[in-house]
Amino acid sequence: MVNDKTPVLIVDDDRVMHTILKKMLEPLGYAPIATRSGAEALELLKRGDVHLVITDWEMPVMDGLELCRAIRSEDLPGYVYVIMLTGREGAQSRIEGLDAGADDFLNKPLNAGELMVCLKTAHRILGLETRDVALFALAKLAESRDQETGDHIERVQNYTRVLVRHLAPDVKTRHGIDEQFIRLIYQTSPLHDLGKVAIPDAILLKPGKLTPAEYEIMKAHAELGAQTLDAALRRFPQARFLQMARDIAATHHEKFDGSGYPSGLSGEQIPLCGRIVALADVYDALTSRRVYKEAMSHEQAKSIILHNRGKHFDPDVVDAFLAAESLLVEVHKRFNREDPVWPATLLAANAANAGGEELGEGYKILVVEDDPFMRKQLLALLARTGCTVLCATNVDEARRMVAEESPKLVISDWEMPGEDGLDFCKHLRRQQTLSSVHFIMLTVHSDQQLLLNAYKAGVDDFVSKPFNADELLARVQAGLRRATLHGELLKKTNDLRSINMQLASMNARLDRLAVTDELTGLYNRRHAMFKLEEHWELSRRTGEPLSVIIADVDYFKRINDTHGHGVGDMMLHRLATLLREQAGNSDTVCRIGGEEFLIILPGHTIEQAHAFAERCRAEIERRASVTRDRAVQATISAGVAARVPAMLQFSELLRAADQALYAAKRAGRNRVHSGDAAPAPPPLPIDIQRVREKCGGDQSFAAAVIQRFCQQAGHEVERIAESLASGQLDALQRRAQNLRSMTAYLSADQASDLSRRIEQLARDRRADEIGALTDQLRHEIAGVVDWITQNVEAMAAG
């Protein structure tokens, strides 16, 4: 039976203390392992099976303090929790022990209650190791879609730890690098390529170099990974490991000279963890084989890295690379599996076939035979296989042993008193968990029909009595080989099932993210347009009414500037909840911009939609408040429009609602306007009088200023379109900001608001939403420029 007790390593040169601790630990469900020296303890810990140590302070050769320091300096597989036994008193002794790496102390003579409390604390701390497992599993999920990368994440993880440990002392001091930093970067570096789960298979799995367009899509994995971890970080803002994982995912493709992606950061703008993983990732890519290239040698990769010192790579990290060359090569050899790695059990079975040697230990063979002489013969023969051989004298005893011991192979006599061997085989085949057991029947039967019936019942092989020893061993080896292959296949199947479940969960989340606004839980702009088009077509075919409402939070910028974006986010979430409460089952509520909401109302006339919007406005005025330091309230303005026969496409319906919204704002905000109740305002009402005042009352100068604006705005619109096409969102944001400043100077409220919306979408990295609006926005801004030109000409003419 498997021993599931937690192992505890006792390190003490006093055998009496071994006995005392064993008597205290065993009733608590622990498996004590006693050693008498620190050196022996270190060798046991390197195997990775023990993570809890109780050590004496006073020992010859290596005392408890030296053992603690050795444990903390070794790269052991997982954290080791150390409890120090001591008879010393005073705070100074405890400080000395903690500084050496001890986690807790127990005073001599031992108290059972104190020991139990120490062990509970140890379990709580060691439980944090499960985070490492979860992070590694998540990283393996991303890697599982790209089989070519082999053990990429293990190599990068270990390269990263080697590099950070070999940074120069002054670099470590400057960046505050301690053991916690080293542990965190080791844990989180496997997540650097998490965003690859969202890259299409046609690009990720392409057997060759990518085209420039495909490479641009591949580059998006850095931002996608960062966005996924940002979502987790918003949920757990104090989780330092999530912050580091997010920084690595976002910046491991940035370059020290600023020519990297996705944000073009340079120098120390790039977090140190990203600079370290960047070099580890590139070194692994250079020294690994791909379908389109052979692996480089370490010297070739080193030459490229040195050439890019200060360009691609941080010089301090390159210096660490040079200081740790031999260790990096060792890591590469340890985790480089270019050739297939076969399970040890298969290698043992093949060796037995080739040279007649023993099969590997760990297998169990069950012999079911009522004849004592035959049992003795079989036991002596099967001992040569190296397997554990179990014996049963009847079928009842055999059933119990199968359930308890789970043998890989059964050798059973056919003829036995009571139930016979064939009945036993049928029993095994009815049990799904036992269907892989290889069953060999010993028999004197030679009747072909009997043997055929036995095969149908589930017997795998036959050996005739009296048996030939070499033949029996050969059949046993073949049976164990088959059972091993079945076990490996079952494990792979289970692993694939687990990965598929994780991928299904990730895909479901990606599907939700594709249609959902993460902050409010409402549909996003892309899905809003899809739903509106769907309802538009239905209304056009059936003649049923269709109305929409566009609602905007009044003075939302003032809320953000005064109370912070956190309060602003809370307010948007609150408004979304209130709008959803008012909507019916067939209504669709969406967030289409920073503080802008769209409500699609199929079957509603404009009067009904106006009443609905008024209910929403009143409810929000009454209930829309959030509290942090003090209560913050908000109101909305809303524009309502209904589909009319003259409208040719749904964008006209949106434009009518948008114009009604602007009318509501100009009328004082916190109100509802309907498209047929208020004439559409001109696209850009410029207060020429105010421009003239800003120009010192000189009408000609004012006209020249406005004409100059028209020229600059036209160029700025073109630059916005170019930035959007090339994916340069930072540049797009700056140009939209410039356009907003120009329009604000002229008191052109509509153009200023439109520019602000573009600027905010760029700041939020919502490229998909900007893309859906590109043509419409460009057309509208061009119309604004035309309107300005016409009014300036009229003004110049008097």
Side-chain angles (χ1 to χ4, degrees), residues 223-255:
E223 283 190 281
L224 291 169
Q227 289 169 10
T228 300
L229 292 164
D230 271 333
L233 195 57
R234 283 195 290 273
R235 182 80 179 274
F236 303 102
Q238 302 304 316
R240 186 181 171 192
F241 76 96
L242 283 176
Q243 181 61 59
M244 183 174 286
R246 185 260 172 217
D247 288 345
I248 290 173
T251 64
H252 71 285
H253 284 296
E254 300 288 358
K255 296 184 180 180

Side-chain angles (χ1 to χ4, degrees), residues 30 80 91 96 151 154 157 224 227 261 283 396 473 483 501 546 566 611 615 632 655 685 743 772:
Y30 292 92
V80 176
E96 189 178 0
D151 292 318
E154 286 95 333
Q157 186 179 38
L224 291 169
Q227 289 169 10
Y261 66 87
Y283 177 70
D396 286 339
L473 280 178
M501 290 175 64
L546 172 65
R615 284 199 308 274
V632 180
R655 189 176 296 110
T743 52

Side-chain angles (χ1 to χ4, degrees), residues 69-91:
R69 293 189 186 103
I71 289 172
R72 298 310 175 211
S73 65
E74 289 280 348
D75 286 335
L76 298 175
Y79 188 74
V80 176
Y81 192 91
V82 181
I83 300 173
M84 185 84 80
L85 295 178
T86 179
R88 301 188 180 198
E89 299 291 340

Side-chain angles (χ1 to χ4, degrees), residues 532 536 548 641-659 776:
L532 181 56
W536 174 273
V548 297
R643 177 181 173 272
V644 295
M647 292 179 178
L648 300 179
Q649 51 189 359
F650 69 85
S651 60
E652 297 178 52
L653 178 60
L654 285 176
R655 189 176 296 110
D658 213 26
Q659 291 171 348
Q776 180 184 345

Side-chain angles (χ1 to χ4, degrees), residues 630-641:
R630 57 194 179 93
V632 180
Q633 291 184 302
T635 59
I636 63 167
S637 300
V640 183

